[in-house]
Amino acid sequence: MDVSNILASHAAKYQSITVEKETPLEVDPGFLTVTDLNPIDEESYNENLEEHLQSLARDGIQALYASLFTLPTRTSPDGPLAQLPPPKTQLPRAKPLPKPKPQTKWEAFAAAKGIQHKVRDRKEWDEERQEWVNRWGRNGKNKQLEEQWITEVPLNADVDHDPRKAARDARKERVAKNEKKHAQNVARAAAANPRDARKQDIEKTLATTRISTASMGKFDKKLDGEKKIRGVKRKFDPTEKSVADEAKASVALLSRLESDSKKTRREPQAEESVLNTRKAVRFASKGRGGLALGREAAGGRSSRGGRGRGRGGKR
Amino acid sequence: MDARLPKEVEDARTAIFVKGTHTGEVLNVVMRDLMALKRPNAISFSKKNPIHPFDSNTTSISSLEFWAGKNDASLFLVGQTTKKRPNGLTFVRMYDGQVLDMMEVGVDNFAGMDSFKTPKSTPGHKPLMHFASELFDTHPRYIQLKSMLMDFFNGEVVDSICLPGLEHVISVTCAPTPASLNNAPVNMYPNQHPSAPEDVSSLPKIHIRTYTTRLLSSGTRIPRVELTPMGPNLDLSLRRHKAADPELLKQAMKRPKVKKVDIESGLGKKKKNLEVDEMGDLRGRVHVGKQDLNKLQTRKMKGLKGGDLDAEDEESDEEQEDETPRKKRRKQA
C-alpha cells in the first residue's frame, strides 16, 4: 500500500500551522504579544509591501496562537478560558505600588492572639421561617426583636418600659460604638505618621485660638487662604432662668474644673500593648480582681501539694 | 475615589486623545480610528488645545499632568500638525501623575478603517500584537516604541482570556534596517547629549497594520490563522522623543512582592530543590556531603588496634571528650 500521499497531505496540514524562522519567535502569551527578531527581508519588502507585512504578521500570529491553544483552559459559559501565564515583558506601572494599610486595633489583637479571620455571611438562617434572611439592612435579622408583634416584658420593668425602644436603642448603640471604634482606628493610623499628627495638632490649636475671642473670631483679621470654621456658633443662655437650673449649671462647671478625669485619661499608658492587661485580669478572675486570682492560684498549688482535694477542701 | 487608589494589579491604562492647536484632516481620522481601537479606555478632547509637550518653555507638561489627575488617565495621544512637523502624533506616558516618557511620530501614509470594506473588531476586545524587526530588541528608540504601543493597546495583565474573543491583530513592522544602523555603535543614551541632535532620518520607518483573524481548522488542536486587513493602516517615522528619567523608571518598574503560594507554583526567582507534591505539601531536598567511608567508626576491638592507629584513636577520643562538655556548657548558657 502506498501511503506517501496520505503522509504528504498530513505533512502539508502540519506545515500550515508550524512556523520556522532563523531566530525563533519570542512569544509572550501573558500580553498576547509576539516579537519576530529576524531582520526584514529587503527584497520582498520592496516587491510587495502589503503582502510582505501580512505574511510576516500571519506567521507571527500563528506562532502566538500555537502557544495560546496549548495553554491550560477552564470552561466558562462564553467558551473556553485560557489561563494566561504572567507576562514576560516588563512594562512601567501607571501608579506606585499600594502602601500597606495600618492595622486596626482588632486586627493587631487578632494577630497577637492568633485569631483567624472568618468571613461572615451576609445571610442568616431563620429557624422559624425556614429560610435565609439578611443579617442586617432591609428586613434584617438584627431588627427582629423590635419588629416582632409581641415581646416579653421583665417582671421588674418600669411602667413606661418600651421593649421595642429598648431593643432599638441597643442596636443603635452597637452601631454608634462601631463607628466610634472606626474613628479611633482612623485617628490612630493618622497618629502613626508624626507629620500628620503634628499637622492635626496645629490645626486643632489654631481652631481653638480662632474661637477664643468674645465674638468667636468674627472680627479678627483674616489671613490669606484661611478657611472659615464651620459649625461654630455663639450660644447665649436665656436671660431668665430658674435658680435651681443656675445652681445646677454652676455645680456642673465646678465639678468639671475639679475633676482630673480627662487629665488621667490623656496620660499615655506605661506600655502600649495590644493586650489590655486590666481587662484580661478582669476576664480571667471573672470580675473579682487580680488579688483574688493570685490567692486562688496560690491556694490551688498548696492544696495540690497537700491533700490533693483541690478547692473543695479549702472551703 | 477609592477606585483611583493604586492597585497591585492595575487596570488597563486610560488614554486621552488631545488635539493640538492644529490637526489636519489626516490626523483627525487617524486619531478617530486609533480611538476606535482603544475604546472603551479612551477619552477624547475634541477642542483645540495649545499643547507642545516637547517645548519645555510652555506649561504643556503641567496641563498634561492636570488632565491625567482629573481623568485618572495615564496615557496621552497628542495630535499636532505644523509646517515643520506635519501630521505629528505624540505618545505621552505617565507615572504617578508625572510624565514618564514621550515619543513623537509622524504619519506618512494612512488608510483608515473606512477604506477597507471588511469586518471590524468589537470594541473592548483585547488585540493580539505582533512586532517584527530585530531593532525592537537592540535600538533604544524602537524598544521604547514597542513598550509604548504595548502599554497603549495591551498593557493590562489578565490571568485568563476567552480564546474565541481574540478577533484582531495589531502588527508593527519596521522597514529593513539600513547598513548604517547595523554597523554604527548605538548611542544608548541619546538624551545625555542634547547638543548633538539625533539623525532621525536614518531610522527606518514603522508600518502599523491591523487585521482581523479567521481561524481555519487544521485537523489539530491548533487552528490555522488567516488575516484580513481591517484598518487603520499607518506608516510612521520616528521624530523627537524624551526617554524616561532613570530614577522615575526604576520606581515605575517596581513589582509587587510575589506571594508564597505563587512561588510554590513556580513563579518568581526559581528556588532550587523545592517542589510541591500531589498533596500540596512543599518538599525540599537537602544536599548532604559525600560520606568519607574511611573515617567510618566501626566496632572497636582490641585485637584490631595497631600501634599507630592506637595513638590516633586516643587523640580522637580526647577531642570528643573535649567537645562534649563544651556543648553542654553552651546549652547551659
Side-chain angles (χ1 to χ4, degrees), chain A residues 13 16-17 31-32 34-37 39 45 50 54 58 62 69 82-84 91-96, chain B residues 4 7-8 10 13 72 96 129 131 133 146 154 159-161 207 209 221 223-225 227 252 255:
Chain A
K13 225 176 214 176
S16 65
I17 59 159
F31 274 144
L32 308 174
V34 57
T35 312
D36 183 351
L37 294 179
Y45 175 85
E50 292 304 322
Q54 186 164 343
R58 198 212 77 83
Q62 182 70 63
F69 271 79
Q83 312 280 52
L84 295 178
L91 293 177
R93 291 178 62 88
K95 284 170 189 172
Chain B
R4 293 188 177 192
K7 287 174 194 159
E8 203 159 278
E10 300 191 304
R13 285 173 181 255
D72 194 27
D96 196 14
M129 292 200 84
F131 293 89
S133 174
K146 181 185 169 188
N154 228 351
D159 54 350
S160 59
I161 192 142
H207 305 283
R209 297 287 179 271
R221 194 177 144 81
R224 181 182 161 76
V225 185
L227 303 178
R255 303 289 121 181

Side-chain angles (χ1 to χ4, degrees), chain A residues 12-255:
Chain A
K13 225 176 214 176
Y14 270 92
Q15 204 180 9
S16 65
I17 59 159
T18 48
V19 180
E20 296 275 329
K21 293 263 176 178
E22 265 177 53
T23 323
L25 301 178
E26 274 182 23
V27 180
D28 185 355
F31 274 144
L32 308 174
T33 300
V34 57
T35 312
D36 183 351
L37 294 179
N38 295 294
I40 307 295
D41 181 22
E42 199 156 357
E43 212 169 278
S44 59
Y45 175 85
N46 289 333
E47 203 172 294
N48 191 338
L49 177 63
E50 292 304 322
E51 216 163 84
H52 172 69
L53 294 179
Q54 186 164 343
S55 75
L56 258 185
R58 198 212 77 83
D59 286 352
I61 296 302
Q62 182 70 63
L64 181 57
Y65 262 102
S67 72
L68 284 178
F69 271 79
T70 46
L71 290 173
T73 53
R74 193 179 56 188
T75 50
S76 81
D78 304 330
L81 283 180
Q83 312 280 52
L84 295 178
K88 290 178 209 157
T89 322
Q90 298 239 316
L91 293 177
R93 291 178 62 88
K95 284 170 189 172
L97 284 169
K99 289 197 177 74
K101 278 182 187 161
Q103 277 186 322
T104 63
K105 192 155 186 178
W106 163 254
E107 278 167 355
F109 180 76
K113 299 280 279 184
I115 300 169
Q116 297 285 316
H117 176 64
K118 224 190 288 172
V119 180
R120 213 178 189 201
D121 213 349
R122 290 190 65 144
K123 297 263 186 180
E124 211 176 341
W125 179 252
D126 194 326
E127 232 10 276
E128 281 173 27
R129 285 155 63 186
Q130 287 294 309
E131 60 177 5
W132 291 95
V133 292
N134 283 340
R135 193 180 286 276
W136 71 89
R138 186 180 152 85
N139 301 329
K141 190 95 195 291
N142 62 344
K143 285 188 275 298
Q144 194 189 26
L145 209 58
E146 59 204 73
E147 277 170 0
Q148 62 196 8
W149 65 278
I150 185 163
T151 317
E152 205 175 334
V153 176
L155 269 178
N156 55 355
D158 285 343
V159 188
D160 58 346
H161 176 74
D162 181 357
R164 305 186 77 177
K165 188 175 178 297
R168 188 184 142 80
D169 285 351
R171 179 169 63 84
K172 289 280 172 196
E173 206 173 293
R174 283 198 299 275
V175 174
K177 187 186 169 191
N178 190 24
E179 252 157 35
K180 193 178 147 201
K181 294 280 174 204
H182 171 65
Q184 281 172 350
N185 278 326
V186 170
R188 203 173 299 119
N193 185 355
R195 208 182 131 87
D196 281 358
R198 179 85 186 120
K199 197 176 165 188
Q200 243 178 21
D201 203 27
I202 289 173
E203 272 171 6
K204 218 170 172 182
T205 320
L206 190 67
T208 320
T209 51
R210 279 173 68 187
I211 55 167
S212 296
T213 54
S215 61
M216 295 190 121
K218 194 174 181 186
F219 302 105
D220 286 1
K221 200 177 154 192
K222 289 270 180 324
L223 292 176
D224 269 357
E226 204 173 17
K227 278 181 194 156
K228 202 179 166 191
I229 307 179
R230 303 179 72 182
V232 172
K233 271 187 183 164
R234 290 185 69 191
K235 266 188 228 154
F236 294 101
D237 286 336
T239 43
E240 285 174 18
K241 212 175 178 186
S242 74
V243 182
D245 276 356
E246 209 164 315
K248 210 171 149 191
S250 305
V251 167
L253 184 66
L254 277 175
S255 69

